[in-house]
Amino acid sequence: MSHRRPLIVSLIVLALLAALFVVYRVALQRLNGALLQALGPRASVGAIELGLTGLTVRELRAGAGPGWPAEEELYARAVHVRPDLGSVFSGAWRVQRIEIEDARIVLLRTRDGRLRVLPSMLESAAHAPAPAASAPAEPIRVRIDHVELRHVQVDLYDASLRLPRPHHVRLADLNATLDTLALPALDEAMQIELDAVFKGPTHDGRLSLDGTLTPATREAQLKARLQGADLLALQPYLLKVAEGGIRKGLLDLTLDARVHDQHLKAPGQITLTGLELAEGPGVLDRFAGMSRQAALVALKRQDRIELRFTLEGRLDDPGFSINDSLAMRFATGLAEALGVSLEGVVEGVGRVFKGLLGR
């Protein structure tokens, strides 16, 4: 009997290992099915590989619907998912880590200022028909501990600027980490760290962002820094369409944004280097509310202009526009830096500008 005991123990261990392996494969298969369902009807996947610690999605694509400014909402060469397998059999799933490599995501800011991100996945889930009253079901909560993005391109098409076509802003070689994503509610604070190349027509800058954000409540504490950005890529955000254009120049921006109880307060500073204004027939003879010729003469005396501003207002106030506020403060700060009468600027840009300044 003593000789058979090691054999019995070995068989029990092997049986337990086999059972664990079966449970592991079942858990991964369930995660696989849930992933395919969550991707939405317009998504396609090249392959899904089940590994020892999770799964890898290859060649993930999310096709775009009507009215989208690009052919795809998302493309990712590889997405690595490491789940907490114990949570797969519970009501709330937990994912330890997601790594996304070599991806491109397209964002659309609508005319009313709403940011649309992956509508085929997120908006379809939000507008899915409710279950029958006899069988109520809560949406599955997924908690993702850590998300890492490597070598990602972001294309933002902004239709809120009242231009003939949405303004295109592109970030390249984006690397970022996100900690604590509570889906689908997004009601927990996320820690964000981001670094990317800000692409411009003639010069590339650098963008960094870090802080916390709770999307459900819009509570935030974020610090942003933009260095060496091409003004040609940003001028729709800084100048009114009727104020002409910019020939060249670079912009540095620092912004410390805090949102509490829907109230935004974001002091910051803009530094302009090598700013030159466009000239030529058909260009209106105004810049930031002053004579373009006066601005050009003043700019020749200095190559660097520093502008301090504060964005402040309630995010739930339909009359508050971050774009307009930044444009107004830019015009005011530029006028002060050039030594032009502030009252003259107020008269040039109208009553709204005058009310904003409290004059």
Side-chain angles (χ1 to χ4, degrees):
M1 181 71 177
S2 60
H3 296 290
R4 298 178 59 189
R5 184 172 299 169
L7 177 60
I8 293 173
V9 171
S10 299
L11 290 174
I12 292 174
V13 170
L14 288 174
L16 288 175
L17 290 175
L20 288 173
F21 179 76
V22 171
V23 170
Y24 166 78
R25 298 296 293 185
V26 171
L28 284 184
Q29 290 291 352
R30 288 192 63 182
L31 183 61
N32 181 9
L35 177 65
L36 288 174
Q37 182 178 3
L39 290 176
R42 293 199 296 269
S44 65
V45 171
I48 297 180
E49 303 169 359
L50 302 181
L52 293 177
T53 59
L55 58 86
T56 297
V57 180
R58 303 285 184 188
E59 299 296 324
L60 169 63
R61 299 178 186 273
W68 198 250
E71 294 182 357
E72 295 175 332
E73 298 173 1
L74 171 70
Y75 165 79
R77 184 182 62 84
V79 179
H80 308 285
V81 182
R82 182 187 299 173
D84 180 346
L85 295 179
S87 69
V88 174
F89 297 96
S90 66
W93 293 12
R94 178 170 171 259
V95 177
Q96 296 176 353
R97 187 180 187 90
I98 295 179
E99 299 176 6
I100 302 174
E101 298 178 359
D102 298 331
R104 180 193 181 218
I105 183 169
V106 178
L107 313 178
L108 174 63
R109 192 178 183 206
T110 62
R111 200 165 182 82
D112 60 2
R114 183 168 57 95
L115 184 65
R116 299 185 68 194
V117 183
L118 298 176
S120 64
M121 302 179 194
L122 303 181
E123 294 178 14
S124 297
H127 294 91
S134 58
E138 292 290 330
I140 296 177
R141 289 184 63 89
V142 180
R143 182 185 178 88
I144 305 173
D145 294 338
H146 183 80
V147 177
E148 184 171 346
L149 307 174
R150 295 197 294 266
H151 309 301
V152 174
Q153 175 178 316
V154 177
D155 290 282
L156 169 64
Y157 291 87
D158 195 339
S160 71
L161 298 171
R162 311 298 181 183
L163 299 175
R165 292 184 300 177
H167 182 61
H168 183 198
V169 176
R170 184 159 66 96
L171 301 178
D173 198 23
L174 181 146
N175 297 281
T177 59
L178 304 175
D179 289 333
T180 311
L181 272 74
L183 301 174
L186 293 173
D187 54 358
E188 296 185 29
M190 301 185 302
Q191 180 70 37
I192 302 171
E193 292 187 13
L194 179 150
D195 181 81
V197 174
F198 185 91
K199 302 297 290 182
T202 62
H203 187 273
D204 293 341
R206 199 86 202 178
L207 172 68
S208 62
L209 178 71
D210 66 88
T212 60
L213 170 66
T214 306
T217 62
R218 295 195 282 189
E219 294 281 311
Q221 186 169 336
L222 296 168
K223 291 185 178 180
R225 183 179 181 87
L226 184 59
Q227 295 176 288
D230 192 335
L231 273 173
L232 293 175
L234 288 171
Q235 64 173 324
Y237 294 99
L238 300 174
L239 301 176
K240 298 297 183 181
V241 175
E243 290 174 341
I246 293 171
R247 178 185 295 164
K248 67 176 183 178
L250 301 180
L251 176 143
D252 295 337
L253 167 70
T254 59
L255 191 68
D256 187 357
R258 299 170 189 271
V259 180
H260 178 64
D261 194 24
Q262 301 297 321
H263 184 268
L264 166 70
K265 186 172 185 179
Q269 177 173 315
I270 289 176
T271 301
L272 304 175
T273 306
L275 175 61
E276 293 186 12
L277 307 181
E279 294 181 279
V283 177
L284 294 181
D285 192 34
R286 305 295 289 176
F287 177 81
M290 74 188 79
S291 162
R292 294 183 62 84
Q293 185 59 35
L296 286 169
V297 171
L299 286 172
K300 289 177 182 178
R301 296 198 297 265
Q302 51 186 331
D303 189 56
R304 182 181 177 91
I305 302 172
E306 293 184 353
L307 315 167
R308 295 185 181 276
F309 63 92
T310 299
L311 301 178
E312 188 168 8
R314 290 194 58 83
L315 298 181
D316 55 0
D317 180 0
F320 174 66
S321 168
I322 294 176
N323 286 346
D324 286 346
S325 297
L326 183 55
M328 292 173 184
R329 285 163 172 80
F330 174 81
T332 308
L334 181 60
E336 292 173 339
L338 295 176
V340 178
S341 166
L342 187 59
E343 185 64 26
V345 176
V346 172
E347 293 175 355
V349 297
R351 295 180 180 177
V352 175
F353 197 169
K354 187 173 183 178
L356 177 68
L357 297 175
R359 296 291 181 113

